[in-house]
Amino acid sequence: MTQRPRFRLIRRTALLAAALLTAAIVVLPASGAALAQSPPPGDIQLVNRDRQMVERKKEGDFIARPVFSRQVSELYYSIRHPDTGEWITNTYRVQGSGKRLSEGWEYTFEYPALDEQPGLDPEQAFLLVLAVPPAGGGERQVFHALIPVHQPKGLWDRVLGALDPDRWARAAAAWVIQGVHGTLCGVLEGVTQTEISECG
């Protein structure tokens, strides 16, 4: 008689434990997915990463204006060659506490600012590597931006640029490709006797 109540107690405890374990298994993925939606508090975002943040000058120097989602204690940068990955410069620290904007904190710096910083070919694009230490410590977060080729902005420079043989060659090649593409689309439509809405 004493065996049966003890058996029922063990059975109820086992069922309760199984129910709690099942609930935990169901809840954990949902909470994990919810946590994955928001970045950890130490993370920082480069707000203008999809915009042109580097202004190139005719001598090869530039002004960079990255905007971060919050104020940073330190900001470092260096320059790499985009094709070979070779480091062009050492790592330099940006001085200043930044400027508060409606979308975040802007940190403006010029290159070169020191005599030992090597010059950059204005006709060559480079990769700007930005590094920011997270608020809670740990490894630096790294961001990349394009240092574009210098584009003259004056009226005379634009006229000379329009007469550039390389630019004309690229335009002629684009016209030839578009013409061949249109011809092939017409031939394909004639052979299949169907109208092709998107001849890709």
Side-chain angles (χ1 to χ4, degrees):
M1 297 293 281
T2 57
Q3 294 287 350
R4 197 168 271 193
R6 182 181 291 175
F7 177 73
R8 285 182 187 165
L9 179 64
I10 293 173
R11 186 174 174 200
R12 285 181 187 169
T13 305
L15 287 174
L16 181 61
L20 290 172
L21 182 61
T22 304
I25 290 172
V26 170
V27 169
L28 277 177
S31 66
L35 289 174
Q37 300 300 323
S38 55
D43 279 7
I44 186 171
Q45 305 299 320
L46 183 58
V47 176
N48 58 346
R49 68 183 312 152
D50 57 344
R51 286 173 264 160
Q52 185 55 261
M53 70 179 77
V54 181
E55 178 187 349
R56 196 76 184 271
K57 301 301 181 75
K58 64 180 179 179
E59 300 299 327
D61 48 340
F62 65 85
I63 299 176
R65 297 181 179 91
V67 179
F68 293 98
S69 57
R70 62 169 171 77
Q71 192 172 23
V72 299
S73 58
E74 296 175 327
L75 173 61
Y76 300 90
Y77 75 91
S78 54
I79 300 171
R80 298 186 81 164
H81 193 283
D83 298 326
T84 65
E86 176 189 0
W87 291 100
I88 306 297
T89 69
N90 295 323
T91 300
Y92 302 100
R93 181 178 178 180
V94 176
Q95 301 292 332
S97 57
K99 180 172 67 174
R100 181 76 167 112
L101 303 177
S102 60
E103 57 183 352
W105 288 83
E106 180 183 271
Y107 293 83
T108 303
F109 59 94
E110 296 185 28
Y111 181 93
L114 304 172
D115 292 338
E116 66 267 16
Q117 290 177 318
L120 301 176
D121 181 1
E123 300 299 320
Q124 169 70 53
F126 295 94
L127 192 64
L128 178 64
V129 182
L130 302 165
V132 179
E139 292 191 18
R140 298 173 181 170
Q141 288 182 251
V142 177
F143 304 93
H144 298 90
L146 176 69
I147 302 173
V149 173
H150 171 62
Q151 295 289 340
K153 295 182 179 178
L155 179 61
W156 184 244
D157 291 324
R158 291 180 184 178
V159 171
L160 291 177
L163 299 175
D164 183 10
D166 290 338
R167 183 175 294 183
W168 279 96
R170 287 194 298 270
W175 292 333
V176 169
I177 291 170
Q178 290 175 0
V180 171
H181 179 261
T183 303
L184 289 176
C185 283
V187 170
L188 189 59
E189 288 178 351
V191 170
T192 60
Q193 296 298 317
T194 57
E195 184 177 347
I196 301 173
S197 58
E198 293 184 9
C199 185

